[in-house]
């Protein structure tokens, strides 16, 4: 099967590319390399350096004729979406629509969308939160991801395109960018290894569901190979507070310092964890990597790239 991965040179996308290749599929990538890195891609993978809003992406679809699309190109920061909601809408809504139009014109069979759990559900009344919980996004990022999901539903009705939305928890692991505004594991780890004090926004008691990136890549492979449709949470169902995450990373890094506390960030939910039983029932997916194991692998990867200065 030929799969086109948008954002395939980025953090999650590059792990999806690797997993698809190991399973024997042909992969092509569209990535503008603003946040992705060419070195994240295995040798021999065709890369089209294009923004998904660029009309030339249609030419890629015409040339490659993929069977499936794994859509990971995105504006991925809640904070950026609050500051610039129009930018977020252009990338996460209009960009997705342009890809769906390309799919309809070229006969793509299956469209897999990297969505979000916490930002779509908002302040939930149940932890862990299932897919049946009413969406109550409190940030433009969550609103626009939900809007894109609705377009997927419409495209299935209009064009018969098989569509899947994977609502990710907080994905972490090797290759995550510590310079951006998303990815607290990468930001904390890089800061500790550089001898700097990580910043905790709020009181440190906000909780998140941390899922390892290779488990996320496995979920993508399974839904593509089994052509599973629908909306599925991809997480662990376990809450971890920001303070507890800091303590785990401090132990693994051997960092002697304390964090700096800053004001809470607009758009951040207080608590979230995802109920993933639907994914297990539908296509047999479960998270395999414990938080401690995943953090240890992540720290080892960052340690090979950052010099520790206590």
């Amino acid at each position: 099967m030929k799969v086109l991965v948008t954002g395939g040179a980025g953090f999650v996308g590059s792990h999806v590319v690797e997993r698809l290749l190991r399973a024997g599929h042909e992969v092509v990538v569209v990535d503008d390399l603003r946040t992705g890195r060419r070195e994240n891609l295995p040798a021999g993978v065709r890369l089209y350096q294009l923004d998904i809003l660029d009309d030339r992406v249609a030419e890629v679809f015409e040339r490659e004729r993929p069977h499936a699309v794994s859509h990971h190109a995105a504006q991925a920061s809640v904070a950026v979406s609050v500051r610039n909601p129009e930018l977020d809408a252009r990338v996460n809504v209009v960009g997705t629509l342009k890809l769906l139009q390309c799919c309809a014109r070229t006969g793509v069979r299956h469209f897999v969308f990297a969505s979000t759990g916490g930002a779509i559900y908002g302040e939930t009344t149940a932890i862990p939160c299932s897919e049946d919980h009413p969406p109550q996004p409190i940030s433009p990022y969550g609103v626009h991801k939900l809007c894109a999901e609705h377009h997927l539903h419409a495209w299935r009705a209009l064009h018969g395109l098989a569509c899947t939305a994977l609502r990710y928890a907080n994905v972490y692991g090797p290759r995550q960018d510590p310079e951006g505004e998303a990815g607290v594991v990468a930001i904390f780890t890089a800061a500790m290894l550089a001898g700097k004090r990580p910043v905790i926004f709020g009181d440190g008691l906000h909780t998140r569901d941390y899922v390892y990136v290779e488990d996320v890549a496995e979920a993508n492979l399974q839904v593509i190979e089994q052509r599973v449709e629908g909306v599925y949470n991809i997480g662990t169902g376990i809450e971890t507070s920001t303070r507890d995450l800091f303590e785990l990373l401090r132990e693994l890094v051997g960092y002697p310092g304390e964090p700096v506390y800053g004001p809470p960030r607009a758009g951040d939910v207080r608590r979230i964890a995802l109920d993933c039983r639907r994914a297990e029932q539908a296509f047999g997916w479960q998270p395999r990597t414990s938080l401690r194991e995943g953090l240890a692998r992540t720290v080892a990867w960052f340690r090979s790239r950052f010099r520790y200065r206590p």
Side-chain angles (χ1 to χ4, degrees):
M1 186 187 307
K2 181 186 286 189
V3 184
L4 187 152
V5 182
T6 70
F11 165 46
V12 179
S14 64
H15 285 275
V16 172
V17 169
E18 284 186 342
R19 187 66 188 93
L20 289 166
L21 289 171
R22 288 201 306 272
H25 300 289
E26 183 181 358
V27 181
V28 294
V29 168
V30 171
D31 196 304
D32 62 11
L33 299 184
R34 291 180 189 172
T35 56
R37 298 176 182 274
R38 191 181 297 269
E39 57 267 30
N40 287 344
L41 292 175
V45 173
R46 288 191 298 284
L47 168 65
Y48 294 91
Q49 188 175 343
L50 292 170
D51 189 309
I52 58 170
L53 292 167
D54 193 316
D55 289 339
R56 290 176 294 173
V57 171
E59 299 173 11
V60 177
F61 276 79
E62 291 288 350
R63 183 180 303 117
E64 295 291 348
R65 296 278 168 166
H67 303 104
V69 171
S70 177
H71 177 31
H72 282 81
Q75 192 302 107
S77 168
V78 169
V80 169
S81 82
V82 171
R83 292 198 303 268
N84 193 342
E86 291 184 9
L87 168 67
D88 194 89
R90 285 197 301 273
V91 177
N92 291 334
V93 180
V94 177
T96 302
L97 268 174
K98 289 175 77 71
L99 293 173
L100 289 169
Q101 290 174 315
C102 291
C103 290
R105 285 194 295 264
T106 58
V108 172
R109 302 172 192 165
H110 191 186
F111 190 91
V112 181
F113 176 58
S115 191
T116 173
I120 275 181
Y121 295 122
E123 300 294 357
T124 66
T125 57
I127 301 285
C129 182
S130 78
E131 295 89 345
D132 295 325
H133 191 283
Q136 298 172 329
I138 62 172
S139 68
Y141 174 72
V143 169
H144 296 146
K145 284 288 191 177
L146 181 60
C147 179
E149 285 191 12
H150 287 312
H151 281 299
L152 262 62
H153 180 76
W155 235 251
R156 186 187 188 284
L158 290 168
H159 301 285
L161 176 64
C163 293
T164 312
L166 299 180
R167 291 178 175 173
Y168 296 161
N170 279 54
V171 188
Y172 72 96
R175 299 186 204 140
Q176 193 167 27
D177 184 4
E179 302 300 326
E181 298 186 65
V184 65
V185 171
I187 293 168
F188 278 13
T189 302
M192 290 179 184
L193 289 171
K196 300 177 181 178
R197 297 177 68 186
V199 179
I200 292 177
F201 295 100
D203 59 10
L205 300 180
H206 288 71
T207 66
R208 296 293 182 267
D209 181 342
Y210 294 97
V211 61
Y212 191 58
V213 67
E214 291 184 5
D215 291 337
V216 172
E218 183 66 28
N220 278 267
L221 174 70
Q222 290 180 18
V223 298
I224 288 171
E225 288 192 333
Q226 299 177 43
R227 203 172 172 185
V228 176
E229 299 183 59
V231 177
Y232 300 95
N233 288 338
I234 301 297
T236 69
I238 300 170
E239 287 184 276
T240 301
S241 73
T242 308
R243 181 71 208 196
D244 286 344
L245 179 72
F246 172 86
E247 294 295 344
L248 274 168
L249 284 170
R250 174 157 67 174
E251 176 188 343
L252 291 165
V253 172
Y255 175 73
E258 293 290 337
V260 175
Y261 285 88
R265 297 189 300 184
D268 279 353
V269 299
R270 180 69 176 174
R271 296 176 60 202
I272 191 64
L274 303 183
D275 182 340
C276 301
R277 287 175 292 180
R278 181 183 291 183
E280 181 181 3
Q281 293 164 1
F283 53 95
W285 180 85
Q286 287 182 307
R288 303 294 182 188
T289 310
S290 70
L291 181 58
R292 177 174 286 276
E293 178 185 357
L295 290 178
R297 293 182 195 173
T298 304
V299 168
W301 185 87
F302 274 93
R303 197 183 294 279
S304 69
R305 287 158 176 80
F306 289 81
R307 182 186 173 192
Y308 176 50
R309 296 190 298 271

PDB file of all heavy atoms in Angstrom, residues 185-204:
ATOM      1  N   VAL A 185       7.366  17.345  27.954  1.00  0.00           N
ATOM      2  CA  VAL A 185       8.429  16.381  28.252  1.00  0.00           C
ATOM      3  C   VAL A 185       9.733  16.821  27.591  1.00  0.00           C
ATOM      4  O   VAL A 185      10.803  16.842  28.228  1.00  0.00           O
ATOM      5  CB  VAL A 185       8.036  14.964  27.795  1.00  0.00           C
ATOM      6  CG1 VAL A 185       9.233  14.013  27.895  1.00  0.00           C
ATOM      7  CG2 VAL A 185       6.886  14.432  28.636  1.00  0.00           C
ATOM      8  N   ALA A 186       9.658  17.195  26.320  1.00  0.00           N
ATOM      9  CA  ALA A 186      10.862  17.645  25.616  1.00  0.00           C
ATOM     10  C   ALA A 186      11.395  18.937  26.219  1.00  0.00           C
ATOM     11  O   ALA A 186      12.619  19.095  26.402  1.00  0.00           O
ATOM     12  CB  ALA A 186      10.551  17.839  24.137  1.00  0.00           C
ATOM     13  N   ILE A 187      10.512  19.857  26.549  1.00  0.00           N
ATOM     14  CA  ILE A 187      10.934  21.147  27.094  1.00  0.00           C
ATOM     15  C   ILE A 187      11.606  20.959  28.451  1.00  0.00           C
ATOM     16  O   ILE A 187      12.691  21.513  28.709  1.00  0.00           O
ATOM     17  CB  ILE A 187       9.733  22.101  27.201  1.00  0.00           C
ATOM     18  CG1 ILE A 187       9.227  22.466  25.797  1.00  0.00           C
ATOM     19  CG2 ILE A 187      10.100  23.357  27.982  1.00  0.00           C
ATOM     20  CD1 ILE A 187       7.886  23.174  25.791  1.00  0.00           C
ATOM     21  N   PHE A 188      11.001  20.175  29.334  1.00  0.00           N
ATOM     22  CA  PHE A 188      11.588  19.926  30.648  1.00  0.00           C
ATOM     23  C   PHE A 188      12.922  19.198  30.526  1.00  0.00           C
ATOM     24  O   PHE A 188      13.897  19.546  31.192  1.00  0.00           O
ATOM     25  CB  PHE A 188      10.633  19.086  31.498  1.00  0.00           C
ATOM     26  CG  PHE A 188       9.533  19.863  32.166  1.00  0.00           C
ATOM     27  CD1 PHE A 188       9.242  21.173  31.809  1.00  0.00           C
ATOM     28  CD2 PHE A 188       8.765  19.274  33.164  1.00  0.00           C
ATOM     29  CE1 PHE A 188       8.229  21.876  32.425  1.00  0.00           C
ATOM     30  CE2 PHE A 188       7.751  19.976  33.797  1.00  0.00           C
ATOM     31  CZ  PHE A 188       7.473  21.273  33.422  1.00  0.00           C
ATOM     32  N   THR A 189      12.969  18.166  29.695  1.00  0.00           N
ATOM     33  CA  THR A 189      14.183  17.354  29.573  1.00  0.00           C
ATOM     34  C   THR A 189      15.344  18.190  29.057  1.00  0.00           C
ATOM     35  O   THR A 189      16.455  18.150  29.614  1.00  0.00           O
ATOM     36  CB  THR A 189      13.942  16.155  28.649  1.00  0.00           C
ATOM     37  OG1 THR A 189      12.864  15.370  29.159  1.00  0.00           O
ATOM     38  CG2 THR A 189      15.189  15.285  28.548  1.00  0.00           C
ATOM     39  N   ALA A 190      15.120  18.947  27.996  1.00  0.00           N
ATOM     40  CA  ALA A 190      16.191  19.766  27.431  1.00  0.00           C
ATOM     41  C   ALA A 190      16.661  20.814  28.438  1.00  0.00           C
ATOM     42  O   ALA A 190      17.871  21.072  28.557  1.00  0.00           O
ATOM     43  CB  ALA A 190      15.715  20.436  26.145  1.00  0.00           C
ATOM     44  N   ALA A 191      15.727  21.416  29.167  1.00  0.00           N
ATOM     45  CA  ALA A 191      16.112  22.414  30.161  1.00  0.00           C
ATOM     46  C   ALA A 191      16.967  21.797  31.260  1.00  0.00           C
ATOM     47  O   ALA A 191      18.015  22.339  31.644  1.00  0.00           O
ATOM     48  CB  ALA A 191      14.864  23.060  30.759  1.00  0.00           C
ATOM     49  N   MET A 192      16.545  20.645  31.781  1.00  0.00           N
ATOM     50  CA  MET A 192      17.303  19.990  32.849  1.00  0.00           C
ATOM     51  C   MET A 192      18.700  19.608  32.375  1.00  0.00           C
ATOM     52  O   MET A 192      19.691  19.804  33.103  1.00  0.00           O
ATOM     53  CB  MET A 192      16.556  18.748  33.329  1.00  0.00           C
ATOM     54  CG  MET A 192      15.293  19.031  34.105  1.00  0.00           C
ATOM     55  SD  MET A 192      14.476  17.479  34.596  1.00  0.00           S
ATOM     56  CE  MET A 192      12.986  18.087  35.368  1.00  0.00           C
ATOM     57  N   LEU A 193      18.800  19.069  31.177  1.00  0.00           N
ATOM     58  CA  LEU A 193      20.109  18.651  30.658  1.00  0.00           C
ATOM     59  C   LEU A 193      21.018  19.842  30.401  1.00  0.00           C
ATOM     60  O   LEU A 193      22.241  19.706  30.412  1.00  0.00           O
ATOM     61  CB  LEU A 193      19.933  17.831  29.384  1.00  0.00           C
ATOM     62  CG  LEU A 193      19.347  16.435  29.576  1.00  0.00           C
ATOM     63  CD1 LEU A 193      19.005  15.806  28.231  1.00  0.00           C
ATOM     64  CD2 LEU A 193      20.316  15.537  30.339  1.00  0.00           C
ATOM     65  N   ALA A 194      20.416  21.012  30.174  1.00  0.00           N
ATOM     66  CA  ALA A 194      21.202  22.226  29.979  1.00  0.00           C
ATOM     67  C   ALA A 194      21.465  22.958  31.290  1.00  0.00           C
ATOM     68  O   ALA A 194      22.075  24.030  31.299  1.00  0.00           O
ATOM     69  CB  ALA A 194      20.482  23.152  29.010  1.00  0.00           C
ATOM     70  N   GLY A 195      21.012  22.390  32.409  1.00  0.00           N
ATOM     71  CA  GLY A 195      21.225  23.022  33.707  1.00  0.00           C
ATOM     72  C   GLY A 195      20.324  24.210  33.960  1.00  0.00           C
ATOM     73  O   GLY A 195      20.617  25.053  34.818  1.00  0.00           O
ATOM     74  N   LYS A 196      19.193  24.295  33.248  1.00  0.00           N
ATOM     75  CA  LYS A 196      18.253  25.398  33.428  1.00  0.00           C
ATOM     76  C   LYS A 196      17.038  24.941  34.230  1.00  0.00           C
ATOM     77  O   LYS A 196      16.768  23.747  34.316  1.00  0.00           O
ATOM     78  CB  LYS A 196      17.805  25.932  32.063  1.00  0.00           C
ATOM     79  CG  LYS A 196      18.942  26.465  31.214  1.00  0.00           C
ATOM     80  CD  LYS A 196      18.433  26.908  29.844  1.00  0.00           C
ATOM     81  CE  LYS A 196      19.574  27.414  28.975  1.00  0.00           C
ATOM     82  NZ  LYS A 196      19.096  27.793  27.616  1.00  0.00           N
ATOM     83  N   ARG A 197      16.316  25.893  34.785  1.00  0.00           N
ATOM     84  CA  ARG A 197      15.141  25.569  35.593  1.00  0.00           C
ATOM     85  C   ARG A 197      13.901  25.524  34.709  1.00  0.00           C
ATOM     86  O   ARG A 197      13.518  26.545  34.120  1.00  0.00           O
ATOM     87  CB  ARG A 197      14.964  26.599  36.711  1.00  0.00           C
ATOM     88  CG  ARG A 197      16.111  26.625  37.712  1.00  0.00           C
ATOM     89  CD  ARG A 197      15.905  27.711  38.754  1.00  0.00           C
ATOM     90  NE  ARG A 197      14.760  27.407  39.630  1.00  0.00           N
ATOM     91  CZ  ARG A 197      14.291  28.245  40.540  1.00  0.00           C
ATOM     92  NH1 ARG A 197      14.854  29.446  40.694  1.00  0.00           N
ATOM     93  NH2 ARG A 197      13.265  27.889  41.316  1.00  0.00           N
ATOM     94  N   PRO A 198      13.240  24.382  34.609  1.00  0.00           N
ATOM     95  CA  PRO A 198      12.012  24.304  33.819  1.00  0.00           C
ATOM     96  C   PRO A 198      10.912  25.162  34.433  1.00  0.00           C
ATOM     97  O   PRO A 198      10.859  25.364  35.644  1.00  0.00           O
ATOM     98  CB  PRO A 198      11.641  22.823  33.896  1.00  0.00           C
ATOM     99  CG  PRO A 198      12.892  22.112  34.288  1.00  0.00           C
ATOM    100  CD  PRO A 198      13.646  23.074  35.157  1.00  0.00           C
ATOM    101  N   VAL A 199      10.030  25.656  33.559  1.00  0.00           N
ATOM    102  CA  VAL A 199       8.910  26.484  33.998  1.00  0.00           C
ATOM    103  C   VAL A 199       7.643  25.645  34.039  1.00  0.00           C
ATOM    104  O   VAL A 199       7.270  25.012  33.040  1.00  0.00           O
ATOM    105  CB  VAL A 199       8.705  27.691  33.068  1.00  0.00           C
ATOM    106  CG1 VAL A 199       7.506  28.525  33.534  1.00  0.00           C
ATOM    107  CG2 VAL A 199       9.964  28.544  33.009  1.00  0.00           C
ATOM    108  N   ILE A 200       6.985  25.620  35.197  1.00  0.00           N
ATOM    109  CA  ILE A 200       5.668  24.990  35.343  1.00  0.00           C
ATOM    110  C   ILE A 200       4.634  26.099  35.348  1.00  0.00           C
ATOM    111  O   ILE A 200       4.687  27.000  36.185  1.00  0.00           O
ATOM    112  CB  ILE A 200       5.579  24.175  36.643  1.00  0.00           C
ATOM    113  CG1 ILE A 200       6.501  22.950  36.570  1.00  0.00           C
ATOM    114  CG2 ILE A 200       4.138  23.736  36.900  1.00  0.00           C
ATOM    115  CD1 ILE A 200       6.518  22.121  37.846  1.00  0.00           C
ATOM    116  N   PHE A 201       3.694  26.039  34.399  1.00  0.00           N
ATOM    117  CA  PHE A 201       2.648  27.046  34.337  1.00  0.00           C
ATOM    118  C   PHE A 201       1.489  26.638  35.247  1.00  0.00           C
ATOM    119  O   PHE A 201       0.925  25.560  35.100  1.00  0.00           O
ATOM    120  CB  PHE A 201       2.171  27.219  32.889  1.00  0.00           C
ATOM    121  CG  PHE A 201       3.229  27.775  31.983  1.00  0.00           C
ATOM    122  CD1 PHE A 201       3.959  26.934  31.157  1.00  0.00           C
ATOM    123  CD2 PHE A 201       3.518  29.128  31.986  1.00  0.00           C
ATOM    124  CE1 PHE A 201       4.947  27.444  30.323  1.00  0.00           C
ATOM    125  CE2 PHE A 201       4.507  29.651  31.168  1.00  0.00           C
ATOM    126  CZ  PHE A 201       5.225  28.808  30.339  1.00  0.00           C
ATOM    127  N   GLY A 202       1.153  27.510  36.173  1.00  0.00           N
ATOM    128  CA  GLY A 202       0.117  27.195  37.147  1.00  0.00           C
ATOM    129  C   GLY A 202       0.712  26.579  38.401  1.00  0.00           C
ATOM    130  O   GLY A 202       1.895  26.744  38.702  1.00  0.00           O
ATOM    131  N   ASP A 203      -0.110  25.812  39.120  1.00  0.00           N
ATOM    132  CA  ASP A 203       0.320  25.270  40.410  1.00  0.00           C
ATOM    133  C   ASP A 203       0.989  23.901  40.316  1.00  0.00           C
ATOM    134  O   ASP A 203       1.357  23.312  41.337  1.00  0.00           O
ATOM    135  CB  ASP A 203      -0.869  25.199  41.381  1.00  0.00           C
ATOM    136  CG  ASP A 203      -2.018  24.333  40.848  1.00  0.00           C
ATOM    137  OD1 ASP A 203      -1.828  23.631  39.822  1.00  0.00           O
ATOM    138  OD2 ASP A 203      -3.103  24.359  41.452  1.00  0.00           O
ATOM    139  N   GLY A 204       1.105  23.361  39.099  1.00  0.00           N
ATOM    140  CA  GLY A 204       1.736  22.050  38.928  1.00  0.00           C
ATOM    141  C   GLY A 204       0.796  20.883  39.107  1.00  0.00           C
ATOM    142  O   GLY A 204       1.213  19.729  38.993  1.00  0.00           O
TER     143      GLY A 204
END
